[in-house]
Amino acid sequence: MSATGIGASVRRKEDFRFITGKGHYTDDISRPGQTYAYFLRSPHAHAKIKRIDKAAAEKMPGVLGVLDGAEMQADKIGNLICGWMIHSKDGSPMKMAPHPALAVGKVCYVGDPVVVVVAETLAQAKDAAEKVVVDYEELPAVVDCAKAKGATQIHEVASDNVIFDWHLGDKAKTDAAFASAKHITKLDIYNNRLAPNAIEPRAAIGEYDTGSESFTLWNTSQNPHVARLVIAAFVGMAPENKLRVIAPDVGGGFGSKIFIYNEEVVALWASKRVGRPVKWTAERSESFLNDAHGRDHATHAEMAFDADGKILGLRAHTVANLGAYMSTFSSSVPTYLYATLLSGQYAIPQIYCEVDAVYTNTAPVDAYRGAGRPEAAFVVERLMEVAARELGVDPADLRRRNFVKSFPHQTPVIMAYDTGDFDASLKKAMELADYKNFGKRKREAERRGKLRGIGFSAYIEACGIAPSQAVGSLGAGVGLWESAEVRVNPTGSVEVLTGSHAHGQGHETTFAQLVSERLGIPIESISIVHGDTDKVQFGMGTYGSRSGAVGMSAIVKALDKVEAKAKKVAAHMMEAAEGDIEFKDGTFTVAGTDKSAAWGDVALNAYIAHKFSGQELEPGLKEGAFYDPANFTFPAGCHICEVEVDPTTGETEIVNWSAVDDFGVVINPMIVEGQVHGGVAQGIGQAMIEHAIYDDNGQPVTGSFMDYAMPRAHNLPSFKVGMTMTKCPSNPLGMKGCGEAGAIAAPAAVINAITDAIGTENIAMPANAATVWAAIQKTQPRAAAE
């Protein structure tokens, strides 16, 4: 292993500019003649728009335009769309309601954009917005997903508010498995709604060039090419060749910046209407209102066991809240990213899952770190933990008894696990957690008046999203391959253009490590270029832990071509047969001789065209590649959480966290450990602290950091992190992905530990002090009184 190659904990190249304030974010950009947009949003969760009076606002100082949805429709600007088709049990397509970028006729959630004011300054735009008069006729709001079916109709296309009723698995065989069971564990689970809260709020700048009749959009996107495709092909703003999308440095996303939002579409359209660039940057309160939320599932789940504690089957019925409109990939999250993972790490013969997706008068819900996989892991791992208690079996032993032990393994819900060693992760996690001595620690805690508990979460996820043929057959509107181009300059330095996008993952370092290892050149000589549709060939972006397994695999394929071309050049230089050229550590040699040529010399010679006259060898050294994975990747592992609960207050402290993950081949262990830390922090946040709440009228009551609790340092323990490794066989690097694992594993581990401590089988997330204290009153009234 080289000091900067694969497996080395290289410090992140990009961090210097970030920590010194030299990052270049969308809000840092100012265009000549730039104006500012402010959105007037609905104060009601559900209402008809009776009248919009813009006259007074249009006369305000500095105002250039006061624009509404009717004007967008007149300009033939189309609706936002969901790009993943799901069919109901009866074969009918999902009921996708129109989603205009500015509301037309009615509003469907608090924050729904109604009017945009464009002015010389943001302050002038805000002042003018106060002069806009909108008359509303309020309608009853639907908030609770469990009560949405048959409630007040939100959209004409969905008379009962059901978008689709979908299922996966064999119901008859699953019911038969349950009929033969000796024990059935049942749970009602609510997976709480979350606000993504990336550190950088969303932003957009739209600019129209009258000379070229083209648009440029700067925005906070995880996938700029997909944004361009949707805005061009479906919204109808402009042909793709007349729309450039640039996503510069992006400060976090967690999935929420995958989607195409109202504001970026409006900024583009408004820039043409007013003839000037239009800039919008979200205030944090707007982020709470309008960024796509995550989770919000209500599930009844059951697991059947035989007399020996072997799982016979699992069945689940989930109601998934998709909010007021379907977001870009929202339909995939509670279906093919959720039900397909309900086998967990276990050999479960039969699984049947039903999902009802519903509209409510709340912000749209879409992918949030893990996207369906955390919900699935929570169902499976809560069932396993409760079953172990009901059966009187050690939770580790029950898991071992049911682990998948041979690979490949075909689950009954589509996924084919290619490799893994689940017992190795469990064993190592138990060692890190000192599980054998937990009883001593529990008794010591009791002497101090505390309740101590321990919880497991043996998760698996499907990453490297995904094989185009597979996702296409499941309803995806696009293939999910990735692209790369490797450009070698005459001096030997290298530029890598990737369709992946970095927003905190460290791609500028890890991608450079791959190239450094392969070409034997310093990472300082390697630049990673992404995020600009005019510079980079079409790519699918970053989400689903795909940048390593898919994005880097595309780079490997491009490097293969570069090396092959460079060997031709080296053979010409050293007057040798191409088949005799060997390449290692940045040097080309002729086998069996002392002839050699350095990488830089070969790169320079590739551009000296006259040297190749008369030969079938083009000048230059630049190659591109597309990579379409053969299968998903399957990161897996075991996280163990140990908590201590104060029965008098319900206050819970995580005193020990052990995480062991199998991510396949790891490029940079330091970065991977950081990803685990961050994911676990978000998972703990969901389990104990975070919850996006609406009241019965659809008003958000967690609309700021005063009300929406975020995890802080004192909520988190020191993490013990370990790894096991089975190489992924479906990509050339053997990688699996690591970005979402912590958020997938953590919620179940926390809730399993808390319920173990207080002696109950179920508790709602977030399990904050008040929730835990109330549960203790029911289970241990004497302990609570003392």
Side-chain angles (χ1 to χ4, degrees):
M1 181 183 73
S2 71
T4 59
I6 293 174
S9 290
V10 178
R11 285 191 178 184
R12 294 181 7 147
K13 293 174 61 179
E14 52 270 66
D15 281 352
F16 179 78
R17 76 172 186 273
F18 292 146
I19 65 176
T20 57
K22 303 300 182 183
H24 194 60
Y25 300 90
T26 299
D27 192 51
D28 294 324
I29 298 167
S30 293
R31 301 297 298 161
Q34 178 174 286
T35 63
Y36 296 83
Y38 181 78
F39 287 85
L40 183 68
R41 302 179 185 275
S42 170
H44 305 294
H46 196 197
K48 293 180 181 178
I49 300 174
K50 306 297 287 184
R51 181 178 68 99
I52 300 175
D53 186 348
K54 305 182 295 183
E58 290 170 334
K59 297 175 183 177
M60 292 288 287
V63 172
L64 300 170
V66 182
L67 308 172
D68 60 32
E71 291 167 291
M72 289 197 83
Q73 285 191 339
D75 284 351
K76 295 182 170 53
I77 303 300
N79 294 316
L80 304 178
I81 58 106
C82 176
W84 196 302
M85 174 56 69
I86 297 294
H87 291 85
S88 289
K89 297 173 187 175
D90 63 3
S92 61
M94 64 189 189
K95 298 170 182 175
M96 180 169 62
H99 185 187
L102 291 174
V104 178
K106 70 181 299 189
V107 291
C108 294
Y109 70 102
V110 173
D112 208 349
V114 178
V115 171
V116 64
V117 180
V118 181
E120 297 285 357
T121 69
L122 180 58
Q124 289 173 330
K126 287 183 175 183
D127 288 344
E130 293 182 359
K131 299 296 183 179
V132 177
V133 177
V134 183
D135 289 340
Y136 296 99
E137 179 186 323
E138 281 195 73
L139 300 169
V142 181
V143 177
D144 186 344
C145 64
K147 301 176 182 177
K149 187 174 182 178
T152 302
Q153 185 173 343
I154 298 172
H155 296 292
E156 289 184 11
V157 298
S159 59
D160 56 359
N161 295 325
V162 176
I163 302 168
F164 54 78
D165 62 323
W166 174 89
H167 66 159
L168 184 66
D170 191 314
K171 185 178 189 301
K173 289 182 179 179
T174 304
D175 287 348
F178 272 79
S180 67
K182 296 299 182 182
H183 177 82
I184 297 175
T185 293
K186 301 179 180 182
L187 270 180
D188 289 304
I189 294 168
Y190 175 61
N191 209 286
N192 45 319
R193 176 183 280 243
L194 304 172
N197 283 318
I199 193 169
E200 177 204 22
R202 288 189 299 111
I205 302 172
E207 183 172 344
Y208 180 71
D209 186 324
T210 56
S212 61
E213 297 182 319
S214 63
F215 290 89
T216 301
L217 171 67
W218 289 263
N219 75 331
T220 49
S221 175
Q222 296 178 217
N223 47 356
H225 282 94
V226 175
R228 184 182 69 166
L229 172 64
V230 172
I231 294 171
F234 297 97
V235 177
M237 186 68 63
E240 278 186 280
N241 65 312
K242 293 290 186 178
L243 174 59
R244 179 184 186 184
V245 178
I246 303 171
D249 288 330
V250 174
F254 312 121
S256 69
K257 293 175 182 174
I258 299 171
F259 324 121
I260 288 75
Y261 286 94
N262 312 57
E263 295 88 357
E264 56 211 46
V265 171
V266 172
L268 282 168
W269 170 69
S271 72
K272 185 175 182 180
R273 288 291 296 247
V274 305
R276 305 253 301 270
V278 175
K279 181 176 187 176
W280 170 79
T281 301
E283 298 178 0
R284 185 58 68 176
S285 59
E286 291 180 291
S287 297
F288 275 104
L289 290 177
N290 290 87
D291 287 6
H293 289 176
R295 316 292 192 249
D296 208 346
H297 284 194
T299 298
H300 176 76
E302 301 180 358
M303 187 176 276
F305 294 84
D306 67 13
D308 297 320
K310 297 294 289 290
I311 305 172
L312 298 174
L314 183 152
R315 58 191 178 195
H317 181 272
T318 294
V319 179
N321 189 349
L322 296 192
Y325 304 99
M326 297 192 75
S327 180
T328 312
F329 292 112
S330 61
S331 57
S332 67
V333 176
T335 53
Y336 291 112
L337 296 179
Y338 163 66
T340 56
L341 274 302
L342 285 174
S343 193
Q345 296 186 6
Y346 312 110
I348 304 179
Q350 301 298 332
I351 298 174
Y352 181 68
C353 179
E354 298 174 287
V355 177
D356 297 334
V358 296
Y359 287 117
T360 62
N361 296 117
T362 62
V365 177
D366 209 316
Y368 172 75
R369 197 171 190 168
R373 282 73 54 87
E375 295 92 318
F378 194 74
V379 168
V380 175
E381 289 306 291
R382 288 291 294 122
L383 284 169
M384 287 297 288
E385 200 83 6
V386 172
R389 296 169 192 170
E390 291 175 347
L391 293 168
V393 178
D394 184 279
D397 291 341
L398 185 63
R399 287 174 167 85
R400 280 201 184 97
R401 197 174 299 177
N402 287 282
F403 277 154
V404 173
K405 297 179 175 67
S406 62
F407 297 89
H409 173 80
Q410 179 63 55
T411 75
V413 279
I414 297 177
M415 293 300 181
Y417 301 164
D418 50 15
T419 188
D421 188 342
F422 305 146
D423 188 61
S425 297
L426 175 65
K427 181 180 178 182
K428 191 168 183 177
M430 292 173 69
E431 291 171 354
L432 282 179
D434 189 22
Y435 183 66
K436 65 182 179 181
N437 290 313
F438 170 71
K440 294 179 183 178
R441 297 192 296 276
K442 184 177 181 71
R443 290 189 293 273
E444 189 275 331
E446 288 173 354
R447 289 193 290 271
R448 293 184 284 107
K450 300 294 181 68
L451 306 174
R452 204 170 182 107
I454 197 164
F456 291 74
S457 181
Y459 76 94
I460 191 168
E461 53 172 326
C463 292
I465 298 175
S468 295
Q469 183 177 0
V471 297
S473 69
L474 301 179
V478 291
L480 295 179
W481 40 262
E482 196 48 85
S483 67
E485 184 177 303
V486 176
R487 298 176 179 176
V488 180
N489 298 315
T491 57
S493 62
V494 174
E495 297 167 16
V496 177
L497 287 74
T498 173
S500 298
H501 187 277
H503 39 279
Q505 293 87 347
H507 293 175
E508 292 177 36
T509 301
T510 53
F511 288 18
Q513 285 183 253
L514 167 61
V515 178
S516 174
E517 172 101 353
R518 183 67 179 271
L519 301 182
I521 61 177
I523 61 171
E524 293 79 16
S525 299
I526 304 161
S527 298
I528 309 299
V529 181
H530 62 87
D532 187 337
T533 61
D534 270 15
K535 292 182 179 179
V536 178
Q537 67 290 333
F538 199 104
M540 299 310 299
T542 293
Y543 41 85
S545 300
R546 70 189 305 272
S547 293
V550 187
M552 293 180 79
S553 292
I555 296 173
V556 168
K557 290 189 67 176
L559 286 169
D560 289 343
K561 296 179 182 180
V562 166
E563 182 178 327
K565 172 75 177 289
K567 283 183 175 179
K568 293 179 184 291
V569 176
H572 176 78
M573 290 171 60
M574 294 186 284
E575 299 179 335
E578 182 185 335
D580 291 335
I581 300 299
E582 297 176 347
F583 180 59
K584 184 179 181 182
D585 297 331
T587 301
F588 295 87
T589 57
V590 180
T593 75
D594 60 356
K595 290 184 177 181
S596 66
W599 168 258
D601 293 335
V602 173
L604 179 60
N605 274 269
Y607 288 89
I608 302 177
H610 69 267
K611 291 195 173 186
F612 306 124
S613 59
Q615 298 189 40
E616 294 182 3
L617 186 62
E618 293 181 356
L621 196 51
K622 179 187 78 170
E623 300 289 346
F626 288 78
Y627 176 77
D628 198 350
N631 192 7
F632 294 89
T633 66
F634 297 98
C638 180
H639 289 215
I640 300 177
C641 172
E642 191 170 333
V643 300
E644 203 168 83
V645 179
D646 185 336
T648 63
T649 65
E651 197 70 37
T652 300
E653 178 186 3
I654 298 175
V655 294
N656 189 9
W657 193 282
S658 303
V660 175
D661 303 282
D662 178 1
F663 297 136
V665 173
V666 170
I667 303 296
N668 187 314
M670 178 183 67
I671 288 177
V672 167
E673 186 169 338
Q675 288 283 339
V676 173
H677 287 194
V680 171
Q682 285 183 272
I684 290 172
Q686 175 176 12
M688 299 180 67
I689 303 167
E690 298 184 49
H691 193 186
I693 302 172
Y694 291 83
D695 68 15
D696 291 341
N697 296 314
Q699 291 293 329
V701 296
T702 50
S704 75
F705 287 130
M706 293 293 289
D707 307 297
Y708 186 94
M710 295 279 284
R712 300 186 179 189
H714 75 269
N715 300 118
L716 307 173
S718 293
F719 302 114
K720 299 175 184 176
V721 176
M723 294 182 198
T724 59
M725 198 271 280
T726 57
K727 291 183 68 172
C728 176
S730 65
N731 65 70
L733 290 168
M735 301 176 68
K736 297 186 179 182
C738 69
E740 298 163 300
I744 293 168
V750 172
I751 298 302
N752 285 340
I754 292 174
T755 53
D756 179 55
I758 67 176
T760 185
E761 300 307 344
N762 211 354
I763 193 170
M765 292 193 295
N768 55 33
T771 301
V772 173
W773 183 85
I776 291 172
Q777 307 316 298
K778 298 177 182 178
T779 60
Q780 299 186 27
R782 291 181 182 176
E786 293 172 1

